[in-house]
PDB file of all heavy atoms in Angstrom:
ATOM      1  N   PRO A   1     107.595 108.095  71.300  1.00  0.00           N
ATOM      2  CA  PRO A   1     106.701 107.416  70.343  1.00  0.00           C
ATOM      3  C   PRO A   1     107.210 107.289  69.023  1.00  0.00           C
ATOM      4  O   PRO A   1     108.027 108.279  68.516  1.00  0.00           O
ATOM      5  CB  PRO A   1     105.494 108.246  70.336  1.00  0.00           C
ATOM      6  CG  PRO A   1     105.442 108.903  71.669  1.00  0.00           C
ATOM      7  CD  PRO A   1     106.913 109.150  72.069  1.00  0.00           C
ATOM      8  N   GLY A   2     106.898 106.326  68.271  1.00  0.00           N
ATOM      9  CA  GLY A   2     107.392 106.141  66.940  1.00  0.00           C
ATOM     10  C   GLY A   2     106.827 104.887  66.255  1.00  0.00           C
ATOM     11  O   GLY A   2     105.912 104.177  66.849  1.00  0.00           O
ATOM     12  N   PRO A   3     107.301 104.471  65.017  1.00  0.00           N
ATOM     13  CA  PRO A   3     106.798 103.378  64.365  1.00  0.00           C
ATOM     14  C   PRO A   3     106.975 101.966  65.034  1.00  0.00           C
ATOM     15  O   PRO A   3     106.125 101.052  64.871  1.00  0.00           O
ATOM     16  CB  PRO A   3     107.527 103.300  63.024  1.00  0.00           C
ATOM     17  CG  PRO A   3     108.103 104.763  62.879  1.00  0.00           C
ATOM     18  CD  PRO A   3     108.289 105.283  64.284  1.00  0.00           C
ATOM     19  N   ARG A   4     107.958 101.898  65.974  1.00  0.00           N
ATOM     20  CA  ARG A   4     108.271 100.574  66.562  1.00  0.00           C
ATOM     21  C   ARG A   4     109.151 100.831  67.798  1.00  0.00           C
ATOM     22  O   ARG A   4     109.838 101.858  67.934  1.00  0.00           O
ATOM     23  CB  ARG A   4     108.867  99.599  65.538  1.00  0.00           C
ATOM     24  CG  ARG A   4     110.147 100.167  64.994  1.00  0.00           C
ATOM     25  CD  ARG A   4     110.818  99.119  64.085  1.00  0.00           C
ATOM     26  NE  ARG A   4     111.270  97.940  64.789  1.00  0.00           N
ATOM     27  CZ  ARG A   4     111.534  96.774  64.265  1.00  0.00           C
ATOM     28  NH1 ARG A   4     111.434  96.617  62.923  1.00  0.00           N
ATOM     29  NH2 ARG A   4     111.945  95.813  64.989  1.00  0.00           N
ATOM     30  N   ASP A   5     109.200  99.880  68.639  1.00  0.00           N
ATOM     31  CA  ASP A   5     110.187  99.707  69.771  1.00  0.00           C
ATOM     32  C   ASP A   5     110.001 100.594  70.907  1.00  0.00           C
ATOM     33  O   ASP A   5     110.851 100.590  71.797  1.00  0.00           O
ATOM     34  CB  ASP A   5     111.620  99.753  69.262  1.00  0.00           C
ATOM     35  CG  ASP A   5     111.892  98.578  68.190  1.00  0.00           C
ATOM     36  OD1 ASP A   5     111.159  97.596  68.168  1.00  0.00           O
ATOM     37  OD2 ASP A   5     112.812  98.835  67.373  1.00  0.00           O
ATOM     38  N   TYR A   6     109.005 101.551  70.937  1.00  0.00           N
ATOM     39  CA  TYR A   6     108.796 102.378  72.035  1.00  0.00           C
ATOM     40  C   TYR A   6     107.841 101.609  73.122  1.00  0.00           C
ATOM     41  O   TYR A   6     106.765 101.359  72.820  1.00  0.00           O
ATOM     42  CB  TYR A   6     108.229 103.670  71.653  1.00  0.00           C
ATOM     43  CG  TYR A   6     107.800 104.554  72.946  1.00  0.00           C
ATOM     44  CD1 TYR A   6     108.828 104.833  73.958  1.00  0.00           C
ATOM     45  CD2 TYR A   6     106.562 105.124  73.136  1.00  0.00           C
ATOM     46  CE1 TYR A   6     108.449 105.655  75.000  1.00  0.00           C
ATOM     47  CE2 TYR A   6     106.332 105.904  74.207  1.00  0.00           C
ATOM     48  CZ  TYR A   6     107.227 106.132  75.074  1.00  0.00           C
ATOM     49  OH  TYR A   6     106.905 106.975  76.233  1.00  0.00           O
ATOM     50  N   PRO A   7     108.397 101.211  74.318  1.00  0.00           N
ATOM     51  CA  PRO A   7     107.626 100.418  75.257  1.00  0.00           C
ATOM     52  C   PRO A   7     106.578 101.154  75.956  1.00  0.00           C
ATOM     53  O   PRO A   7     105.730 100.646  76.764  1.00  0.00           O
ATOM     54  CB  PRO A   7     108.599  99.932  76.290  1.00  0.00           C
ATOM     55  CG  PRO A   7     109.962 100.154  75.619  1.00  0.00           C
ATOM     56  CD  PRO A   7     109.758 101.400  74.775  1.00  0.00           C
ATOM     57  N   GLY A   8     106.435 102.498  75.790  1.00  0.00           N
ATOM     58  CA  GLY A   8     105.450 103.293  76.392  1.00  0.00           C
ATOM     59  C   GLY A   8     106.014 103.912  77.704  1.00  0.00           C
ATOM     60  O   GLY A   8     107.081 103.599  78.133  1.00  0.00           O
ATOM     61  N   PRO A   9     105.203 104.807  78.344  1.00  0.00           N
ATOM     62  CA  PRO A   9     105.599 105.384  79.675  1.00  0.00           C
ATOM     63  C   PRO A   9     105.623 104.497  80.754  1.00  0.00           C
ATOM     64  O   PRO A   9     106.401 104.781  81.825  1.00  0.00           O
ATOM     65  CB  PRO A   9     104.610 106.563  79.805  1.00  0.00           C
ATOM     66  CG  PRO A   9     103.390 106.082  79.079  1.00  0.00           C
ATOM     67  CD  PRO A   9     103.794 105.314  77.859  1.00  0.00           C
ATOM     68  N   SER A  10     104.865 103.386  80.739  1.00  0.00           N
ATOM     69  CA  SER A  10     104.702 102.471  81.868  1.00  0.00           C
ATOM     70  C   SER A  10     104.189 101.215  81.347  1.00  0.00           C
ATOM     71  O   SER A  10     103.515 101.123  80.204  1.00  0.00           O
ATOM     72  CB  SER A  10     103.964 102.997  83.075  1.00  0.00           C
ATOM     73  OG  SER A  10     102.667 103.145  82.568  1.00  0.00           O
ATOM     74  N   PRO A  11     104.344 100.046  81.965  1.00  0.00           N
ATOM     75  CA  PRO A  11     103.714  98.810  81.578  1.00  0.00           C
ATOM     76  C   PRO A  11     102.210  98.995  81.494  1.00  0.00           C
ATOM     77  O   PRO A  11     101.617  99.623  82.359  1.00  0.00           O
ATOM     78  CB  PRO A  11     104.181  97.830  82.640  1.00  0.00           C
ATOM     79  CG  PRO A  11     105.321  98.313  83.217  1.00  0.00           C
ATOM     80  CD  PRO A  11     105.220  99.918  83.242  1.00  0.00           C
ATOM     81  N   LEU A  12     101.629  98.418  80.437  1.00  0.00           N
ATOM     82  CA  LEU A  12     100.120  98.339  80.334  1.00  0.00           C
ATOM     83  C   LEU A  12      99.514  99.743  80.292  1.00  0.00           C
ATOM     84  O   LEU A  12      98.375  99.998  80.743  1.00  0.00           O
ATOM     85  CB  LEU A  12      99.470  97.460  81.400  1.00  0.00           C
ATOM     86  CG  LEU A  12      99.895  96.054  81.472  1.00  0.00           C
ATOM     87  CD1 LEU A  12      99.149  95.256  82.544  1.00  0.00           C
ATOM     88  CD2 LEU A  12      99.818  95.394  80.129  1.00  0.00           C
ATOM     89  N   SER A  13     100.341 100.706  79.784  1.00  0.00           N
ATOM     90  CA  SER A  13      99.786 102.168  79.669  1.00  0.00           C
ATOM     91  C   SER A  13      98.748 102.188  78.537  1.00  0.00           C
ATOM     92  O   SER A  13      97.894 103.098  78.601  1.00  0.00           O
ATOM     93  CB  SER A  13     100.905 103.158  79.451  1.00  0.00           C
ATOM     94  OG  SER A  13     101.562 102.873  78.180  1.00  0.00           O
ATOM     95  N   GLU A  14      98.852 101.293  77.619  1.00  0.00           N
ATOM     96  CA  GLU A  14      98.007 101.361  76.451  1.00  0.00           C
ATOM     97  C   GLU A  14      96.686 100.459  76.658  1.00  0.00           C
ATOM     98  O   GLU A  14      96.815  99.329  77.183  1.00  0.00           O
ATOM     99  CB  GLU A  14      98.702 100.948  75.200  1.00  0.00           C
ATOM    100  CG  GLU A  14      99.945 101.800  74.956  1.00  0.00           C
ATOM    101  CD  GLU A  14      99.656 103.268  74.990  1.00  0.00           C
ATOM    102  OE1 GLU A  14      99.080 103.788  74.116  1.00  0.00           O
ATOM    103  OE2 GLU A  14     100.114 103.955  75.944  1.00  0.00           O
ATOM    104  N   PRO A  15      95.489 100.977  76.248  1.00  0.00           N
ATOM    105  CA  PRO A  15      94.297 100.208  76.499  1.00  0.00           C
ATOM    106  C   PRO A  15      94.268  98.817  75.839  1.00  0.00           C
ATOM    107  O   PRO A  15      93.738  97.890  76.362  1.00  0.00           O
ATOM    108  CB  PRO A  15      93.209 101.126  75.966  1.00  0.00           C
ATOM    109  CG  PRO A  15      93.938 102.060  75.052  1.00  0.00           C
ATOM    110  CD  PRO A  15      95.279 102.229  75.566  1.00  0.00           C
ATOM    111  N   GLU A  16      94.955  98.713  74.742  1.00  0.00           N
ATOM    112  CA  GLU A  16      94.905  97.468  74.076  1.00  0.00           C
ATOM    113  C   GLU A  16      95.665  96.362  74.707  1.00  0.00           C
ATOM    114  O   GLU A  16      95.209  95.282  74.958  1.00  0.00           O
ATOM    115  CB  GLU A  16      95.546  97.570  72.608  1.00  0.00           C
ATOM    116  CG  GLU A  16      94.918  98.593  71.702  1.00  0.00           C
ATOM    117  CD  GLU A  16      95.439 100.025  71.782  1.00  0.00           C
ATOM    118  OE1 GLU A  16      96.170 100.280  72.712  1.00  0.00           O
ATOM    119  OE2 GLU A  16      95.076 100.855  70.795  1.00  0.00           O
ATOM    120  N   ALA A  17      96.904  96.710  75.279  1.00  0.00           N
ATOM    121  CA  ALA A  17      97.693  95.804  75.987  1.00  0.00           C
ATOM    122  C   ALA A  17      97.013  95.504  77.435  1.00  0.00           C
ATOM    123  O   ALA A  17      96.944  94.325  77.847  1.00  0.00           O
ATOM    124  CB  ALA A  17      99.119  96.267  76.341  1.00  0.00           C
ATOM    125  N   LYS A  18      96.410  96.512  77.976  1.00  0.00           N
ATOM    126  CA  LYS A  18      95.699  96.311  79.307  1.00  0.00           C
ATOM    127  C   LYS A  18      94.527  95.398  79.055  1.00  0.00           C
ATOM    128  O   LYS A  18      94.278  94.524  79.925  1.00  0.00           O
ATOM    129  CB  LYS A  18      95.351  97.712  79.792  1.00  0.00           C
ATOM    130  CG  LYS A  18      94.650  97.570  81.214  1.00  0.00           C
ATOM    131  CD  LYS A  18      94.272  98.974  81.736  1.00  0.00           C
ATOM    132  CE  LYS A  18      93.616  98.915  83.127  1.00  0.00           C
ATOM    133  NZ  LYS A  18      93.241 100.216  83.589  1.00  0.00           N
ATOM    134  N   ALA A  19      93.809  95.572  78.108  1.00  0.00           N
ATOM    135  CA  ALA A  19      92.546  94.734  77.788  1.00  0.00           C
ATOM    136  C   ALA A  19      92.988  93.220  77.706  1.00  0.00           C
ATOM    137  O   ALA A  19      92.331  92.305  78.188  1.00  0.00           O
ATOM    138  CB  ALA A  19      91.821  95.206  76.594  1.00  0.00           C
ATOM    139  N   LEU A  20      94.080  92.971  76.900  1.00  0.00           N
ATOM    140  CA  LEU A  20      94.544  91.618  76.594  1.00  0.00           C
ATOM    141  C   LEU A  20      95.057  90.963  77.985  1.00  0.00           C
ATOM    142  O   LEU A  20      94.763  89.793  78.271  1.00  0.00           O
ATOM    143  CB  LEU A  20      95.603  91.585  75.583  1.00  0.00           C
ATOM    144  CG  LEU A  20      96.067  90.240  75.166  1.00  0.00           C
ATOM    145  CD1 LEU A  20      94.982  89.432  74.638  1.00  0.00           C
ATOM    146  CD2 LEU A  20      97.223  90.362  74.106  1.00  0.00           C
ATOM    147  N   ALA A  21      95.819  91.753  78.727  1.00  0.00           N
ATOM    148  CA  ALA A  21      96.379  91.283  80.114  1.00  0.00           C
ATOM    149  C   ALA A  21      95.220  90.927  80.977  1.00  0.00           C
ATOM    150  O   ALA A  21      95.198  89.886  81.703  1.00  0.00           O
ATOM    151  CB  ALA A  21      97.327  92.283  80.651  1.00  0.00           C
ATOM    152  N   GLU A  22      94.296  91.850  81.133  1.00  0.00           N
ATOM    153  CA  GLU A  22      93.125  91.631  81.999  1.00  0.00           C
ATOM    154  C   GLU A  22      92.287  90.463  81.589  1.00  0.00           C
ATOM    155  O   GLU A  22      91.860  89.575  82.439  1.00  0.00           O
ATOM    156  CB  GLU A  22      92.262  92.845  82.127  1.00  0.00           C
ATOM    157  CG  GLU A  22      92.939  94.037  82.789  1.00  0.00           C
ATOM    158  CD  GLU A  22      92.088  95.289  82.865  1.00  0.00           C
ATOM    159  OE1 GLU A  22      91.043  95.328  82.149  1.00  0.00           O
ATOM    160  OE2 GLU A  22      92.402  96.172  83.679  1.00  0.00           O
ATOM    161  N   PHE A  23      92.069  90.246  80.351  1.00  0.00           N
ATOM    162  CA  PHE A  23      91.305  89.110  79.775  1.00  0.00           C
ATOM    163  C   PHE A  23      92.088  87.853  80.074  1.00  0.00           C
ATOM    164  O   PHE A  23      91.438  86.808  80.462  1.00  0.00           O
ATOM    165  CB  PHE A  23      91.107  89.326  78.262  1.00  0.00           C
ATOM    166  CG  PHE A  23      90.398  88.181  77.610  1.00  0.00           C
ATOM    167  CD1 PHE A  23      89.073  87.904  77.912  1.00  0.00           C
ATOM    168  CD2 PHE A  23      91.101  87.454  76.595  1.00  0.00           C
ATOM    169  CE1 PHE A  23      88.324  86.859  77.319  1.00  0.00           C
ATOM    170  CE2 PHE A  23      90.351  86.348  75.912  1.00  0.00           C
ATOM    171  CZ  PHE A  23      89.001  86.016  76.303  1.00  0.00           C
ATOM    172  N   THR A  24      93.352  87.872  79.896  1.00  0.00           N
ATOM    173  CA  THR A  24      94.194  86.672  80.138  1.00  0.00           C
ATOM    174  C   THR A  24      94.117  86.278  81.692  1.00  0.00           C
ATOM    175  O   THR A  24      94.001  85.057  82.045  1.00  0.00           O
ATOM    176  CB  THR A  24      95.697  86.847  79.796  1.00  0.00           C
ATOM    177  OG1 THR A  24      95.673  87.234  78.390  1.00  0.00           O
ATOM    178  CG2 THR A  24      96.504  85.744  79.964  1.00  0.00           C
ATOM    179  N   ALA A  25      94.200  87.309  82.527  1.00  0.00           N
ATOM    180  CA  ALA A  25      94.216  86.971  83.977  1.00  0.00           C
ATOM    181  C   ALA A  25      92.742  86.413  84.352  1.00  0.00           C
ATOM    182  O   ALA A  25      92.686  85.574  85.177  1.00  0.00           O
ATOM    183  CB  ALA A  25      94.443  88.305  84.730  1.00  0.00           C
TER     184      ALA A  25
END
């Protein structure tokens, strides 16, 4: 983790990204 460029432990691990992906689908 840091200010930028850390992709996380796995795809869509973060609730914000997951919410946007699910809404898009």
Side-chain angles (χ1 to χ4, degrees):
R4 56 178 295 163
D5 298 341
Y6 174 53
S10 61
L12 303 182
S13 64
E14 303 310 292
E16 300 92 345
K18 184 178 180 182
L20 186 59
E22 290 179 346
F23 179 63
T24 301

